[in-house]
Amino acid sequence: MSPSSSSPRRRTLTAGALAATAALVAAGVQFTTVADAANGRDTAIAKAKANVSRNADLFGFGAGQDLQVKDVMIDADGTQHVRFDRTYQGLPVIGGDLVVHQDSHGRLKDSSRAKGHNPAVKTTVPAVPAQTTAAKALGAVGQDVTAATSTPQLVVWAADGTARLAWQTTVSGTGKQGQPSGRIVVTDAITGAEIEQLATEHQASATGTGHSEYTGDITFADTLQADGTYALIDPVRGHVTKDAHNLSSSSIKATSGTLYTDADNVWGDGKKFSTDRATAAVDAHANTAWTYDYYKNTFGRSGIKNDGKGATVFVHVGTNWDNAQWSDACFCMMTGDGDGTVDPEQVDLDTMGHEMTHGVTSATANLRYSGESGGLNEATSDIFGTMVEFYANNAVDKGDYLFSDQSTPPWLRRFDKPSLDGRSADCWSKSVGRLDVHNSSGVGNHWFFLASEGSGAKTINGVSYNSPTCNGSTVTGIGNQKVAAIWYRALTVYMTSTTDYKGARTASLNAAKDLYGSGSTEYNAVAAAWSGVNVA
Ligand SMILES: [Zn+2]
């Protein structure tokens, strides 16, 4: 479907389009030089443009095209990712976007390209009257949207890899429930045939109000859908919360269950063992957001795989399943309803943080889930689950070193003296790797407590702790934020799938050296805490 130059009604793209292109370029230059000169952004953009020109075949970059900078990301190690939109003869190319990945010197390493990276079309554009296309677009959405207005724009549409001239018409109006509603209708500029229709309101963000089980009355991000109902889709973080309808954890796929929707955007009844199936969903949805935000705002990590994508969160998994689980296979979290008598739904802050952290570990060090590495994997989830609880700073579910204290009262595991649960190890020994991974994790949790809060008796947020050392030493803590930062760096930079406790000591000391310097107070506290749990 390429445009025909024999069309009787056509015009030639000349001065107007070129002037539009020049204006866009000028705007881009002003933005980048004024705002970002200090951080190497300009250089990265210039190098990226040069890389595209030098590799014109790879990028399908030819005559008449121009690049518009959309975003620049520079990693801590200097690696640069420059994202461009593309124009052709001054027209936006839909599906022509690309990302140039280059090293700290601006040398091309790799690229990511949308399908339409070769938007060559003829330079003549048929003069299809805008009103005709707009009327067509209005007709296409008429049943769902009233009082609509439309804005047509001529584009090069190449989202399927074949470039063609098209009218992109945005239709805005009011949906059946009075919500703002609209469509983007794309029609072939030559034939008038519809190419695609997109809902513009699909990602309309909203704020839900929830009566949660564990954190009182809260608000959270959800989505206003085209039909006027609200859905537990977090439009910022991307996670989606579903009712598993008691499907067992072994049979769940990402597509299982049903998305939570609600008419008035007020969710749950605040009760444990609630008959309102949305109550657990409130906690799971909001606490997943807290976990995402903890990683994002503390470490700059965008989601489990650091790619900005959200997981699927299932509540009401199994029958009396007193557990929660992360699955790489479905990129999902599953939470059960507790044992039905003492333990309620497994959706509290530290539990959601724990499970999502299994995903982070899997995407980074990928610690094998057996032996000492398995214990470190579990400890990592307990540590960051606990840090999420501290980060959320909720008045009802306060930060503590008791794991799963809300959903498995009074607690399932604790950090100051893990052996108080009757199963976990306080100190490293040669046999610790033979324990279940939820018990060999005690050594790592105990280390985290000693490094954060120090040895001996202490009351924090109303909870009393008393942490012994295994070698009789006294350890002074440096606060859990610093220890968490060290552990995160150790996990993401130095640990591997087979790291054991001795290796974890080395990895965390390397991380402490990077962050605070060799021989710093922080470095010495990390070392003393490891010695305090018999990891020398
Ligand atoms: Zn776990």
PDB file of all heavy atoms in Angstrom, residues 453-476:
ATOM      1  N   GLU A 453      21.669  -2.539  63.350  1.00  0.00           N
ATOM      2  CA  GLU A 453      21.280  -2.057  64.679  1.00  0.00           C
ATOM      3  C   GLU A 453      22.293  -2.365  65.768  1.00  0.00           C
ATOM      4  O   GLU A 453      22.183  -1.835  66.876  1.00  0.00           O
ATOM      5  CB  GLU A 453      19.924  -2.669  65.071  1.00  0.00           C
ATOM      6  CG  GLU A 453      18.808  -2.411  64.056  1.00  0.00           C
ATOM      7  CD  GLU A 453      18.403  -0.938  63.959  1.00  0.00           C
ATOM      8  OE1 GLU A 453      18.794  -0.142  64.847  1.00  0.00           O
ATOM      9  OE2 GLU A 453      17.716  -0.571  62.982  1.00  0.00           O
ATOM     10  N   GLY A 454      23.230  -3.242  65.481  1.00  0.00           N
ATOM     11  CA  GLY A 454      24.236  -3.608  66.472  1.00  0.00           C
ATOM     12  C   GLY A 454      23.763  -4.723  67.396  1.00  0.00           C
ATOM     13  O   GLY A 454      22.606  -5.159  67.353  1.00  0.00           O
ATOM     14  N   SER A 455      24.679  -5.193  68.213  1.00  0.00           N
ATOM     15  CA  SER A 455      24.377  -6.300  69.128  1.00  0.00           C
ATOM     16  C   SER A 455      23.737  -5.781  70.405  1.00  0.00           C
ATOM     17  O   SER A 455      23.744  -4.580  70.676  1.00  0.00           O
ATOM     18  CB  SER A 455      25.659  -7.071  69.450  1.00  0.00           C
ATOM     19  OG  SER A 455      26.636  -6.185  69.964  1.00  0.00           O
ATOM     20  N   GLY A 456      23.147  -6.713  71.179  1.00  0.00           N
ATOM     21  CA  GLY A 456      22.570  -6.361  72.467  1.00  0.00           C
ATOM     22  C   GLY A 456      21.107  -5.993  72.384  1.00  0.00           C
ATOM     23  O   GLY A 456      20.449  -6.220  71.374  1.00  0.00           O
ATOM     24  N   ALA A 457      20.600  -5.414  73.474  1.00  0.00           N
ATOM     25  CA  ALA A 457      19.170  -5.110  73.587  1.00  0.00           C
ATOM     26  C   ALA A 457      18.850  -3.740  72.993  1.00  0.00           C
ATOM     27  O   ALA A 457      19.628  -2.795  73.120  1.00  0.00           O
ATOM     28  CB  ALA A 457      18.744  -5.152  75.046  1.00  0.00           C
ATOM     29  N   LYS A 458      17.700  -3.659  72.340  1.00  0.00           N
ATOM     30  CA  LYS A 458      17.300  -2.407  71.684  1.00  0.00           C
ATOM     31  C   LYS A 458      15.791  -2.437  71.440  1.00  0.00           C
ATOM     32  O   LYS A 458      15.245  -3.491  71.110  1.00  0.00           O
ATOM     33  CB  LYS A 458      18.042  -2.289  70.351  1.00  0.00           C
ATOM     34  CG  LYS A 458      18.002  -0.918  69.720  1.00  0.00           C
ATOM     35  CD  LYS A 458      19.015  -0.832  68.589  1.00  0.00           C
ATOM     36  CE  LYS A 458      19.138   0.610  68.086  1.00  0.00           C
ATOM     37  NZ  LYS A 458      20.126   0.736  67.013  1.00  0.00           N
ATOM     38  N   THR A 459      15.124  -1.301  71.598  1.00  0.00           N
ATOM     39  CA  THR A 459      13.701  -1.225  71.259  1.00  0.00           C
ATOM     40  C   THR A 459      13.535  -0.280  70.066  1.00  0.00           C
ATOM     41  O   THR A 459      14.033   0.847  70.083  1.00  0.00           O
ATOM     42  CB  THR A 459      12.878  -0.717  72.463  1.00  0.00           C
ATOM     43  OG1 THR A 459      13.040  -1.653  73.539  1.00  0.00           O
ATOM     44  CG2 THR A 459      11.393  -0.626  72.113  1.00  0.00           C
ATOM     45  N   ILE A 460      12.877  -0.779  69.024  1.00  0.00           N
ATOM     46  CA  ILE A 460      12.692   0.009  67.797  1.00  0.00           C
ATOM     47  C   ILE A 460      11.213  -0.016  67.429  1.00  0.00           C
ATOM     48  O   ILE A 460      10.623  -1.098  67.297  1.00  0.00           O
ATOM     49  CB  ILE A 460      13.528  -0.582  66.641  1.00  0.00           C
ATOM     50  CG1 ILE A 460      15.018  -0.638  67.035  1.00  0.00           C
ATOM     51  CG2 ILE A 460      13.336   0.228  65.359  1.00  0.00           C
ATOM     52  CD1 ILE A 460      15.818  -1.632  66.237  1.00  0.00           C
ATOM     53  N   ASN A 461      10.616   1.153  67.253  1.00  0.00           N
ATOM     54  CA  ASN A 461       9.174   1.253  66.929  1.00  0.00           C
ATOM     55  C   ASN A 461       8.321   0.395  67.866  1.00  0.00           C
ATOM     56  O   ASN A 461       7.366  -0.254  67.440  1.00  0.00           O
ATOM     57  CB  ASN A 461       8.918   0.835  65.472  1.00  0.00           C
ATOM     58  CG  ASN A 461       9.312   1.926  64.487  1.00  0.00           C
ATOM     59  OD1 ASN A 461       9.482   3.088  64.874  1.00  0.00           O
ATOM     60  ND2 ASN A 461       9.469   1.557  63.228  1.00  0.00           N
ATOM     61  N   GLY A 462       8.717   0.361  69.145  1.00  0.00           N
ATOM     62  CA  GLY A 462       7.910  -0.346  70.136  1.00  0.00           C
ATOM     63  C   GLY A 462       8.180  -1.839  70.249  1.00  0.00           C
ATOM     64  O   GLY A 462       7.555  -2.519  71.068  1.00  0.00           O
ATOM     65  N   VAL A 463       9.092  -2.374  69.420  1.00  0.00           N
ATOM     66  CA  VAL A 463       9.403  -3.811  69.496  1.00  0.00           C
ATOM     67  C   VAL A 463      10.775  -3.992  70.147  1.00  0.00           C
ATOM     68  O   VAL A 463      11.739  -3.305  69.790  1.00  0.00           O
ATOM     69  CB  VAL A 463       9.406  -4.456  68.093  1.00  0.00           C
ATOM     70  CG1 VAL A 463       9.733  -5.948  68.180  1.00  0.00           C
ATOM     71  CG2 VAL A 463       8.068  -4.248  67.405  1.00  0.00           C
ATOM     72  N   SER A 464      10.858  -4.909  71.114  1.00  0.00           N
ATOM     73  CA  SER A 464      12.121  -5.161  71.813  1.00  0.00           C
ATOM     74  C   SER A 464      12.914  -6.264  71.117  1.00  0.00           C
ATOM     75  O   SER A 464      12.346  -7.297  70.764  1.00  0.00           O
ATOM     76  CB  SER A 464      11.844  -5.585  73.262  1.00  0.00           C
ATOM     77  OG  SER A 464      11.169  -4.547  73.937  1.00  0.00           O
ATOM     78  N   TYR A 465      14.183  -6.003  70.944  1.00  0.00           N
ATOM     79  CA  TYR A 465      15.084  -6.990  70.331  1.00  0.00           C
ATOM     80  C   TYR A 465      16.269  -7.214  71.263  1.00  0.00           C
ATOM     81  O   TYR A 465      16.612  -6.360  72.078  1.00  0.00           O
ATOM     82  CB  TYR A 465      15.614  -6.466  68.983  1.00  0.00           C
ATOM     83  CG  TYR A 465      14.520  -6.096  68.004  1.00  0.00           C
ATOM     84  CD1 TYR A 465      14.072  -4.776  67.907  1.00  0.00           C
ATOM     85  CD2 TYR A 465      13.937  -7.057  67.176  1.00  0.00           C
ATOM     86  CE1 TYR A 465      13.065  -4.431  67.016  1.00  0.00           C
ATOM     87  CE2 TYR A 465      12.932  -6.706  66.281  1.00  0.00           C
ATOM     88  CZ  TYR A 465      12.504  -5.397  66.201  1.00  0.00           C
ATOM     89  OH  TYR A 465      11.514  -5.057  65.319  1.00  0.00           O
ATOM     90  N   ASN A 466      16.897  -8.362  71.109  1.00  0.00           N
ATOM     91  CA  ASN A 466      18.141  -8.620  71.827  1.00  0.00           C
ATOM     92  C   ASN A 466      18.995  -9.532  70.971  1.00  0.00           C
ATOM     93  O   ASN A 466      18.721 -10.713  70.841  1.00  0.00           O
ATOM     94  CB  ASN A 466      17.861  -9.244  73.196  1.00  0.00           C
ATOM     95  CG  ASN A 466      19.092  -9.174  74.103  1.00  0.00           C
ATOM     96  OD1 ASN A 466      20.171  -8.754  73.665  1.00  0.00           O
ATOM     97  ND2 ASN A 466      18.933  -9.587  75.347  1.00  0.00           N
ATOM     98  N   SER A 467      20.002  -8.943  70.335  1.00  0.00           N
ATOM     99  CA  SER A 467      20.775  -9.698  69.358  1.00  0.00           C
ATOM    100  C   SER A 467      22.143 -10.078  69.908  1.00  0.00           C
ATOM    101  O   SER A 467      22.961  -9.207  70.199  1.00  0.00           O
ATOM    102  CB  SER A 467      20.932  -8.878  68.072  1.00  0.00           C
ATOM    103  OG  SER A 467      21.402  -9.694  67.033  1.00  0.00           O
ATOM    104  N   PRO A 468      22.398 -11.379  70.031  1.00  0.00           N
ATOM    105  CA  PRO A 468      23.709 -11.834  70.491  1.00  0.00           C
ATOM    106  C   PRO A 468      24.684 -11.915  69.313  1.00  0.00           C
ATOM    107  O   PRO A 468      24.259 -11.889  68.162  1.00  0.00           O
ATOM    108  CB  PRO A 468      23.403 -13.241  71.002  1.00  0.00           C
ATOM    109  CG  PRO A 468      22.296 -13.722  70.101  1.00  0.00           C
ATOM    110  CD  PRO A 468      21.500 -12.506  69.723  1.00  0.00           C
ATOM    111  N   THR A 469      25.980 -12.002  69.575  1.00  0.00           N
ATOM    112  CA  THR A 469      26.929 -12.365  68.516  1.00  0.00           C
ATOM    113  C   THR A 469      27.428 -13.773  68.804  1.00  0.00           C
ATOM    114  O   THR A 469      27.380 -14.247  69.935  1.00  0.00           O
ATOM    115  CB  THR A 469      28.126 -11.391  68.453  1.00  0.00           C
ATOM    116  OG1 THR A 469      28.757 -11.350  69.744  1.00  0.00           O
ATOM    117  CG2 THR A 469      27.676  -9.996  68.065  1.00  0.00           C
ATOM    118  N   CYS A 470      27.918 -14.423  67.748  1.00  0.00           N
ATOM    119  CA  CYS A 470      28.363 -15.817  67.888  1.00  0.00           C
ATOM    120  C   CYS A 470      29.790 -15.903  68.414  1.00  0.00           C
ATOM    121  O   CYS A 470      30.251 -16.978  68.794  1.00  0.00           O
ATOM    122  CB  CYS A 470      28.263 -16.508  66.536  1.00  0.00           C
ATOM    123  SG  CYS A 470      26.615 -16.347  65.799  1.00  0.00           S
ATOM    124  N   ASN A 471      30.501 -14.772  68.377  1.00  0.00           N
ATOM    125  CA  ASN A 471      31.897 -14.788  68.818  1.00  0.00           C
ATOM    126  C   ASN A 471      32.109 -13.934  70.067  1.00  0.00           C
ATOM    127  O   ASN A 471      33.245 -13.616  70.429  1.00  0.00           O
ATOM    128  CB  ASN A 471      32.814 -14.300  67.685  1.00  0.00           C
ATOM    129  CG  ASN A 471      32.491 -12.873  67.262  1.00  0.00           C
ATOM    130  OD1 ASN A 471      31.512 -12.280  67.729  1.00  0.00           O
ATOM    131  ND2 ASN A 471      33.312 -12.306  66.396  1.00  0.00           N
ATOM    132  N   GLY A 472      31.020 -13.536  70.700  1.00  0.00           N
ATOM    133  CA  GLY A 472      31.129 -12.766  71.940  1.00  0.00           C
ATOM    134  C   GLY A 472      31.506 -11.302  71.752  1.00  0.00           C
ATOM    135  O   GLY A 472      31.662 -10.561  72.733  1.00  0.00           O
ATOM    136  N   SER A 473      31.594 -10.859  70.497  1.00  0.00           N
ATOM    137  CA  SER A 473      31.986  -9.465  70.249  1.00  0.00           C
ATOM    138  C   SER A 473      30.795  -8.524  70.423  1.00  0.00           C
ATOM    139  O   SER A 473      29.644  -8.950  70.494  1.00  0.00           O
ATOM    140  CB  SER A 473      32.530  -9.337  68.822  1.00  0.00           C
ATOM    141  OG  SER A 473      31.491  -9.602  67.899  1.00  0.00           O
ATOM    142  N   THR A 474      31.100  -7.236  70.467  1.00  0.00           N
ATOM    143  CA  THR A 474      30.053  -6.211  70.450  1.00  0.00           C
ATOM    144  C   THR A 474      30.108  -5.523  69.091  1.00  0.00           C
ATOM    145  O   THR A 474      31.173  -5.092  68.651  1.00  0.00           O
ATOM    146  CB  THR A 474      30.304  -5.181  71.579  1.00  0.00           C
ATOM    147  OG1 THR A 474      30.267  -5.867  72.825  1.00  0.00           O
ATOM    148  CG2 THR A 474      29.244  -4.087  71.558  1.00  0.00           C
ATOM    149  N   VAL A 475      28.955  -5.451  68.436  1.00  0.00           N
ATOM    150  CA  VAL A 475      28.904  -4.822  67.116  1.00  0.00           C
ATOM    151  C   VAL A 475      28.070  -3.547  67.214  1.00  0.00           C
ATOM    152  O   VAL A 475      27.020  -3.523  67.871  1.00  0.00           O
ATOM    153  CB  VAL A 475      28.275  -5.782  66.072  1.00  0.00           C
ATOM    154  CG1 VAL A 475      28.124  -5.096  64.724  1.00  0.00           C
ATOM    155  CG2 VAL A 475      29.117  -7.049  65.946  1.00  0.00           C
ATOM    156  N   THR A 476      28.547  -2.476  66.567  1.00  0.00           N
ATOM    157  CA  THR A 476      27.787  -1.224  66.511  1.00  0.00           C
ATOM    158  C   THR A 476      27.194  -1.082  65.105  1.00  0.00           C
ATOM    159  O   THR A 476      27.917  -1.200  64.106  1.00  0.00           O
ATOM    160  CB  THR A 476      28.706  -0.024  66.820  1.00  0.00           C
ATOM    161  OG1 THR A 476      29.293  -0.235  68.103  1.00  0.00           O
ATOM    162  CG2 THR A 476      27.908   1.279  66.830  1.00  0.00           C
TER     163      THR A 476
END
